[in-house]
Amino acid sequence: MIPTVTAFERSPDRGKGLARDTRVRWALEEVGQPYKVRLVSFRAMKEPAHLALHPFGQIPTYEEGDLSLFETGAIVFHIAERDAGLLPGDVNARARAITWMFAALSTVEPPILERKTARLLEGDKSWSEQRMPTVENRIRDRLGQLSGRLGDADWLDGAFSAGDLMMVSVLLRLKASSGILDEYPNLSAYVARGEARPAYKRAFDAQLAVFTGKPPASLSGAA
Ligand code: GTB
């Protein structure tokens, strides 16, 4: 059964791949699962038909037969569980890869999102500039720890896994909007390795094609 993913009809990032459907597209490309995309407008996201799929009125959602999912963590986990390629067979290695997925979403992403919120929603406040170093240092704390753990390894725990897919996706958001990632050369190289994966390129091109209106440059599973 071909799953359907929802994505922004017009992404505010103008095709930079930062909206979270890219993570889901990437996971589907890694396991070789073709998929369809349904584009939704900001207005449609808040209407009953979409709210029935996503209680918070957001993208992405994932529909596959009777199954309907929201939350990228849950969606990528489902894809990784169902098809081979994103989780190791060994039970303990699998549990560790899943741990890295959670770490990406629960521990590394929050301070990165906090910076975004601080700039977007509080940037005009008189105290905003004063607060920013604190916000950015919270990111540095996490990146320093992550950098120490990664060391000179290619991936976080052996072979590339859903944990790396999620961590690279989270760090990409930072790469696009600040120079902080450059302070950690091994993390910058880690993100570059993720971006160099053919599956990531196909996912990126497919989401960019929504913005440009032109077919993706690379062959994509997206229908
Ligand atoms: N926790 C949820 C998940 O992981 O699936 C969060 C989903 C989410 O934040 N969805 C966003 C959304 O639908 C799009 S991805 N927002 C619309 C709304 O809430 O009304 C977040 C996002 C949006 C835009 C950019 N950008 O332009 O750079 C980057 C990331």
Side-chain angles (χ1 to χ4, degrees), residues 110-151:
I112 294 174
L113 291 183
E114 178 56 27
R115 179 178 177 276
K116 193 83 188 165
T117 307
R119 294 182 82 85
L120 275 183
L121 304 181
E122 299 164 0
D124 59 344
K125 304 282 187 289
S126 56
W127 39 263
S128 174
E129 278 312 303
Q130 251 182 312
R131 180 171 178 256
M132 201 50 74
T134 307
V135 171
E136 295 194 334
N137 283 336
R138 283 197 197 113
I139 299 176
R140 289 190 178 92
D141 285 346
R142 288 295 176 243
L143 295 197
Q145 292 159 329
L146 184 66
S147 168
R149 173 55 82 99
L150 180 68

Side-chain angles (χ1 to χ4, degrees), residues 201-210 212-220 222:
K201 287 186 183 168
R202 289 194 295 273
F204 182 89
D205 288 350
Q207 65 76 38
L208 178 62
V210 174
T212 61
K214 294 184 190 141
S218 55
L219 271 182
S220 169

Side-chain angles (χ1 to χ4, degrees), residues 7-8 10-24 40 42 45-46 50 54 56-61 70-75 105 109 113 116 120 166 173 176:
F8 282 134
R10 200 162 300 171
S11 181
D13 74 353
R14 303 167 64 86
K16 288 200 185 82
L18 302 175
R20 293 178 197 217
D21 57 291
T22 304
R23 303 171 186 191
V24 175
V40 286
F42 276 94
M45 271 190 268
K46 310 301 174 196
H50 189 76
H54 197 308
F56 308 115
Q58 296 182 312
I59 59 97
T61 58
F70 59 97
E71 284 297 330
T72 46
I75 297 169
L105 295 174
E109 190 164 47
L113 291 183
K116 193 83 188 165
L120 275 183
M166 205 54 92
R173 184 99 186 248

Side-chain angles (χ1 to χ4, degrees), residues 161-194:
S161 78
D164 295 297
L165 184 151
M166 205 54 92
M167 192 64 83
V168 168
S169 298
V170 162
L171 296 176
L172 271 167
R173 184 99 186 248
L174 189 60
K175 178 190 161 192
S177 64
S178 88
I180 298 178
L181 191 66
D182 298 335
E183 296 170 24
Y184 306 86
N186 67 336
L187 294 184
S188 294
Y190 172 64
V191 168
R193 272 191 294 281

